[in-house]
Amino acid sequence: MKKGYNLVQKMDNKQFYQKLRQLSLPIAFQSLMLALVAAGDALMLGRVAQAEMTAVSLATQIQFVQNMFLSAITGAGAILGAQYWGKGDENALRSLFNLALRFAGLVSLLFFGACELMPELLMKAFASDSQLIEIGSAYLRIAGWSYLLTGVSQCYLSIMKVTDHVKPCVIISSGTVVLNVLLNAVFIFGLLGAPAMQARGAALATTISRVVELACCIAISRGGSYVRPAWRRFFSTSRQLTRDFVRQCLPLMGGSLFWGVGFTSYTAIMGHMGVDAAAANSVAAVVRDLICCACNGVGSAAGIMVGNELGAGNLELGKAYGIKLKNLSWVIGFASTALVLAITPLIVRFVILSETAQSYLTGMMVIMAIYMIGRCVNTVTINGVLDGGGDTVFDMYSLAVCMWGIAIPLALLGAFVFNWHVLLVYACTCLDEVGKIPWVMHRFRRYKWVQNLTKEL
């Protein structure tokens, strides 16, 4: 333990921060641009009607759940990919690309089918209001086509990140987001001669953007320095690599489902507490996703930086990187808290909400400010450092206990049994991130994540 901290003091800080900036800033920017799509939908539809904004916010929870499956698949590929890239084994990377595409393609096909065949049933899980169900179902029938393409494009973007092509990855994602926002304005409000489609317009804009994104990924990856799928052996992969992939993917999948379904449950609980509570929660969720971009960027960079060093056999340097990044996560957390408090008055005044919904939103923003500390620390430490070293099981355990054993039961009891105030129920939904910080720090200091996952294939 002392050796790791001694290395932190001796490491080249200039080199460390230069590498962190090169990775985290583009990824954070990419995360910001992706969050802006949801923000653009919410703000534009919020200028049309509260019901349109709320329905789309609830409907996009379907994609949120899909992304939990996809993030586990691409995450497993990224964990192993970062280490094999550090080792210099491009052949293993191509095989990992094949594995990720097979799994992600199947998930995308299943969600596409559900959105096209039973959108009303999906919406009933998140809302009881018939108007919200009708609007959300119309959105899903169009947006479902974008879900079919997302899995493939995410595999391409994930491999780009771990193979030193972060900038092209960001250019593709950012360009797609700009296109999405512009098309949102065209189809939601009926600009440039297009019909005013409102919620359906947001879905159409998303679908067109995903088509462009995938086309760009395929075109750019044709370059000589890029790792591409090994199409000739697409269904033939080393048994050892497949086992390693599944070993990383299953805990990530469990953690993603626990977290994704849990977060969706939070949205469903708030949605059943009335239109005002659902509307305020929808706006708060958009703000949360925007503010979390910084910790998302550092978390992704942490996984790559730690994974590269561990895969190259530099275990002590990888450990020192992890310690440094964990400490940095606290700084990001407190900075995010200050930012949330600073922008609260502006957000409440800007969005068109009822007086009751505005009061709910103000309270939610204050609660979220405290939540941000836990969210930032846990994102960088768990999803970055621990996952970078292959310690993916802890995330699943911590979510099972803190989210599903404490936060969700309290929120359900408060909403449907004890009739607690909306803000108290919302506070229950934020309890898990803050509550598990001591456990996370204990797990980190055991250093089970300091391991080389690569094999001779």
Side-chain angles (χ1 to χ4, degrees):
M1 178 175 173
K2 289 182 179 179
K3 188 174 181 181
Y5 280 97
N6 289 336
L7 270 174
V8 172
Q9 296 174 348
K10 293 178 181 179
M11 77 165 58
D12 187 339
N13 281 326
K14 183 177 180 180
Q15 181 181 2
F16 171 83
Y17 284 112
Q18 181 180 6
K19 188 171 184 180
L20 181 62
R21 282 194 301 271
Q22 289 174 346
L23 288 170
S24 65
L25 290 180
I27 295 173
F29 182 72
Q30 179 189 17
S31 181
L32 174 63
M33 296 300 284
L34 292 173
L36 283 175
V37 175
D41 286 352
L43 294 175
M44 291 181 194
L45 290 170
R47 308 302 294 184
V48 175
Q50 179 172 301
E52 296 279 335
M53 178 193 72
T54 305
V56 170
S57 177
L58 295 173
T60 53
Q61 295 304 304
I62 304 301
Q63 187 179 28
F64 180 77
V65 175
Q66 181 197 23
N67 284 339
M68 294 304 99
F69 285 94
L70 296 179
S71 66
I73 294 167
T74 58
I79 289 169
L80 293 171
Q83 294 216 4
Y84 277 108
W85 183 252
K87 185 181 180 181
D89 189 345
E90 290 191 20
N91 187 56
L93 276 167
R94 294 188 187 94
S95 296
L96 283 169
F97 206 159
N98 289 351
L99 281 169
L101 281 172
R102 294 207 300 264
F103 284 105
L106 178 60
V107 169
S108 297
L109 186 62
L110 290 174
F111 274 84
F112 163 74
C115 289
E116 296 306 314
L117 298 176
M118 51 182 184
E120 292 86 1
L121 183 61
L122 295 176
M123 282 301 300
K124 287 178 181 178
F126 304 106
S128 54
D129 184 85
S130 59
Q131 183 184 15
L132 296 182
I133 293 173
E134 181 181 356
I135 296 171
S137 298
Y139 175 91
L140 287 175
R141 285 193 180 93
I142 299 174
W145 290 92
S146 71
Y147 303 164
L148 184 62
L149 307 175
T150 300
V152 179
S153 61
Q154 288 305 306
C155 289
Y156 272 91
L157 295 172
S158 177
I159 292 296
M160 286 184 191
K161 288 178 186 176
V162 300
T163 55
D164 295 338
H165 291 102
V166 174
K167 288 184 179 179
C169 172
V170 172
I171 291 172
I172 293 172
S173 295
S174 301
T176 303
V177 167
V178 171
L179 176 64
N180 199 335
V181 172
L182 292 175
L183 292 177
N184 271 343
V186 170
F187 294 123
I188 289 174
F189 300 115
L191 305 179
L192 304 177
M197 300 172 66
Q198 298 183 349
R200 292 181 296 114
L204 180 59
T206 298
T207 301
I208 294 174
S209 300
R210 293 289 80 77
V211 172
V212 173
E213 179 181 66
L214 180 56
C216 289
C217 286
I218 295 173
I220 289 179
S221 293
R222 291 173 65 87
S225 62
Y226 288 80
V227 174
R228 294 176 292 279
W231 297 114
R232 292 182 179 179
R233 50 186 173 88
F234 187 73
F235 294 102
S236 176
T237 309
S238 160
R239 289 184 179 180
Q240 179 64 58
L241 189 60
T242 302
R243 283 195 296 268
D244 289 344
F245 182 86
V246 172
R247 190 178 296 116
Q248 296 301 322
C249 188
L250 288 180
L252 287 175
M253 187 78 73
S256 291
L257 289 175
F258 276 139
W259 189 77
V261 177
F263 245 87
T264 304
S265 299
Y266 292 158
T267 303
I269 291 169
M270 300 306 298
H272 284 282
M273 295 193 74
V275 175
D276 287 326
N281 184 61
S282 298
V283 176
V286 171
V287 175
R288 178 197 66 220
D289 292 342
L290 289 172
I291 300 296
C292 283
C293 291
C295 70
N296 291 341
V298 175
S300 295
I304 296 172
M305 291 173 66
V306 171
N308 284 167
E309 297 302 331
L310 297 178
N314 304 322
L315 299 186
E316 288 301 323
L317 183 57
K319 179 180 179 180
Y321 274 13
I323 294 170
K324 190 92 169 179
L325 289 159
K326 180 262 297 181
N327 294 338
L328 186 60
S329 70
W330 286 94
V331 177
I332 299 171
F334 282 105
S336 299
T337 294
L339 181 58
V340 170
L341 293 175
I343 66 173
T344 294
L346 297 175
I347 298 297
V348 173
R349 284 199 299 267
F350 182 80
V351 183
I352 299 176
L353 296 173
S354 67
E355 186 175 343
T356 301
Q358 282 187 335
S359 68
Y360 289 161
L361 179 58
T362 301
M364 288 176 181
M365 293 288 284
V366 173
I367 295 168
M368 188 203 304
I370 301 171
Y371 159 90
M372 290 304 301
I373 299 172
R375 175 67 180 269
C376 292
V377 170
N378 294 332
T379 296
V380 176
T381 306
I382 300 176
N383 305 121
V385 178
L386 299 188
D387 283 0
D391 187 8
T392 56
V393 176
F394 174 73
D395 190 23
M396 183 174 63
Y397 288 161
S398 65
L399 288 166
V401 174
C402 298
M403 176 179 276
W404 286 90
I406 300 173
I408 290 177
L410 281 177
L412 286 170
L413 289 171
F416 301 112
V417 178
F418 301 121
N419 296 317
W420 287 345
H421 190 275
V422 167
L423 293 182
L424 184 55
V425 174
Y426 181 79
C428 291
T429 67
C430 296
L431 186 62
D432 58 305
E433 293 285 3
V434 178
K436 69 183 180 185
I437 289 179
W439 192 9
V440 172
M441 293 298 102
H442 173 72
R443 180 73 174 198
F444 176 88
R445 293 188 184 97
R446 294 181 64 187
Y447 299 113
K448 291 183 65 175
W449 51 272
V450 183
Q451 55 181 328
N452 186 338
L453 304 174
T454 65
K455 303 286 193 313
E456 292 297 330
L457 301 176

